[in-house]
Amino acid sequence: MKATEPIVYVVDDDAAVRHAIKDLLESVGIRSETFRSGREFLVRKPADTPSCLILDVRLPGSSGLEFQRELKAAGFEIPIIFITGHGDIPITVQAMKAGAVDFLTKPFREQELLDAIHKAVDRHRERLQQVSDAAKLRQCYEELTPREREVMALVTRGLLNKQIAAELGTSETTVKIHRGQVMRKMKAESLADLVRMADRIAQLSKGISQPF
Amino acid sequence: MSPSDEIKARIAPLLFKYGLAMLSVTLAFLITRSLQPTLFPTPLFFAAIVISTWYGGIGPGVVSVLLATLVLDSYFMSPVRGFTAGNSDLPYLAQFVLPALLSGWFTKKRKDAEAALKDARDHLDAKVQERTLQLQSEIVERKRAEESVHKTQADLAHLTRVMTMSELATSIAHEVNQPLTAIVTNGAAGMRWLAAEPPNLERARDSMSRMISEGNRASEVIKRIRALSKKTSPHKSALEIDEVIQDVLALVGTELVKNRIALTCDLQRGVPRVIGDRIQLQQVLLNLIINSIEAMAEIAQGPRELLIKSEARDDGQVVVRVRDSGAGIDPKDLEEIFEGFYTTKAEGVGIGLSISRNIVEAHGGRLWASRNDGRGATFQFTLPTAETTT
């Protein structure tokens, strides 16, 4: 199996339920790993592939909701699908507010679970893509010289080459060369593309990231 | 009391004490003289001194010693009557005076000791009396406390049963739900293994064998619950059904007031005792009364009347009726309402009447419902009396 193939982690204290879910996922060709407790899962250190976590609300030790908070606090970003014996509305609301993808009541219909898994895995994949895009963008930006960064800032503010030359006290030809370098190094296809990248970099430097 | 009276009251005992001292010594003298003792004229004088000291104390005692000494010296020592004591008489007199003083002193001591003893005894009596009164009031207090504890226990027993029921239900739900989840999920997996191209029969078989073992696991849970319900056998005793009714009315009093329901209790006097589990019977009644209250709370108009009636029937059964003026029961529901999980209430679970009927039938009675001629419904149950049961 390829490393990029999605993987589903299952945490439930009931061996029969764990086994059944694993069997079901296997029958539709989804890779899965099962754990008896949240702690066991933490020890495993999930791989950096699109994945999701199926978590029983009622767990020995800390409850599923507590574990959800623990994961968040530890910086583990993984979409969670909760499964529970009784669909308690306040708990459902709490879990969904804390970012759960879905909340299924046992016994669940298998299609519901599979749909939730697809949704969760897609979300995670997107998220991973975003993270890697951001990293690439940052890398490109870091390759710019200080003067090129200045030129990029002024270009994306909408200034004309002539205005930029006046602002920086240099010739329009020099600005044109810098501008060409910026477009090349940032792998931007158009000015609009470059503006979007500048916005994204500004967001990243402010620490704004999109939650699940 | 006037001052003169006070003086009289003080002097009278003194006069009596010193008079007694003189009288006793005089008597001793007269008797001794009539007996004409040759060697020992002293014994009766000792007696006189003891009596004087006993009743009079130190003062009269000393007076009696002095008197006795004078009398002895004048009449029994010297041949001539007179108060002069010769030198030859001194040792003899000393022999009398010392023991006389000693015996007086001992008598006084003895008297004091007895007085102290008597005092102590009187004190003790008073103490005992006081304590007895205290104990009596304590006993009354304790009885009252015990009664209230008994009442609270009965209330608590209800609550605990209700609580245990809901906790038990949660626990059972979880215990059964886990294997059910596994069965459903394994079934889904099995279907998918079969639907594969080509069908994976081996995996499908695995899924199915797990379904079977999980089915058995669910059945084990049910078996355990059955065993549990057998263990909690009812605690039966002879009891007054009217007391059970009163117990329950005490619990629902506030509900009746809150829903503005007029209660009429028609309890027949001297209804024979029934054999039953007090708490279970309370549960049945509580259930019927709460149902009635709810049925009446729904109606917007008309009187809200609850009648509770107990009476002995000729066939040796006691019958209890709970009659309300509520929404009534649809004729087709008269029997269905006793089925488990059948409810006509928006928020009902539908087990109250089914449990109630089980309890009454386990007591050898019957529980049924009927429509009133006017508004509302009547629930009644019978119970065999203690006499018919034994």
Side-chain angles (χ1 to χ4, degrees), chain B residues 67 250 254 310 316 328 343 373:
Chain B
L67 273 175
T254 49
S310 73
T343 185
D373 289 341

Short mmCIF file of all heavy atoms in Angstrom, two decimals, chain B residues 67 250 254 310 316 328 343 373:
data_model
loop_
_atom_site.label_atom_id
_atom_site.label_comp_id
_atom_site.label_asym_id
_atom_site.label_seq_id
_atom_site.Cartn_x
_atom_site.Cartn_y
_atom_site.Cartn_z
N LEU B 67 -22.61 17.25 133.80
CA LEU B 67 -23.68 16.90 134.76
C LEU B 67 -23.40 15.54 135.38
O LEU B 67 -23.45 15.35 136.59
CB LEU B 67 -25.02 16.88 134.05
CG LEU B 67 -25.77 18.22 133.95
CD1 LEU B 67 -27.04 18.06 133.12
CD2 LEU B 67 -26.13 18.72 135.35
N ALA B 250 -48.97 11.54 50.82
CA ALA B 250 -48.00 12.49 51.38
C ALA B 250 -46.99 12.91 50.31
O ALA B 250 -46.50 14.03 50.30
CB ALA B 250 -47.28 11.86 52.56
N THR B 254 -48.16 18.03 47.01
CA THR B 254 -47.81 19.28 46.31
C THR B 254 -48.26 19.25 44.86
O THR B 254 -48.71 20.26 44.33
CB THR B 254 -46.30 19.53 46.36
OG1 THR B 254 -45.63 18.35 45.96
CG2 THR B 254 -45.83 19.93 47.74
N SER B 310 -61.04 2.77 49.25
CA SER B 310 -60.64 1.39 49.57
C SER B 310 -61.81 0.71 50.24
O SER B 310 -62.56 1.32 51.01
CB SER B 310 -59.44 1.42 50.52
OG SER B 310 -59.84 1.82 51.81
N GLY B 316 -63.30 -11.80 50.13
CA GLY B 316 -62.01 -11.79 50.85
C GLY B 316 -60.94 -11.01 50.15
O GLY B 316 -59.76 -11.19 50.42
N GLY B 328 -59.83 10.85 30.22
CA GLY B 328 -60.43 9.55 29.97
C GLY B 328 -59.59 8.69 29.05
O GLY B 328 -58.52 9.10 28.60
N THR B 343 -47.81 3.90 25.02
CA THR B 343 -48.14 5.12 25.75
C THR B 343 -49.02 6.03 24.93
O THR B 343 -48.98 6.02 23.70
CB THR B 343 -46.87 5.88 26.19
OG1 THR B 343 -47.27 6.98 27.00
CG2 THR B 343 -46.06 6.39 25.01
N ASP B 373 -68.85 6.82 33.85
CA ASP B 373 -70.09 7.21 33.18
C ASP B 373 -69.98 8.66 32.73
O ASP B 373 -70.38 9.02 31.64
CB ASP B 373 -71.28 7.05 34.14
CG ASP B 373 -71.58 5.57 34.37
OD1 ASP B 373 -71.12 4.76 33.52
OD2 ASP B 373 -72.22 5.23 35.36
#
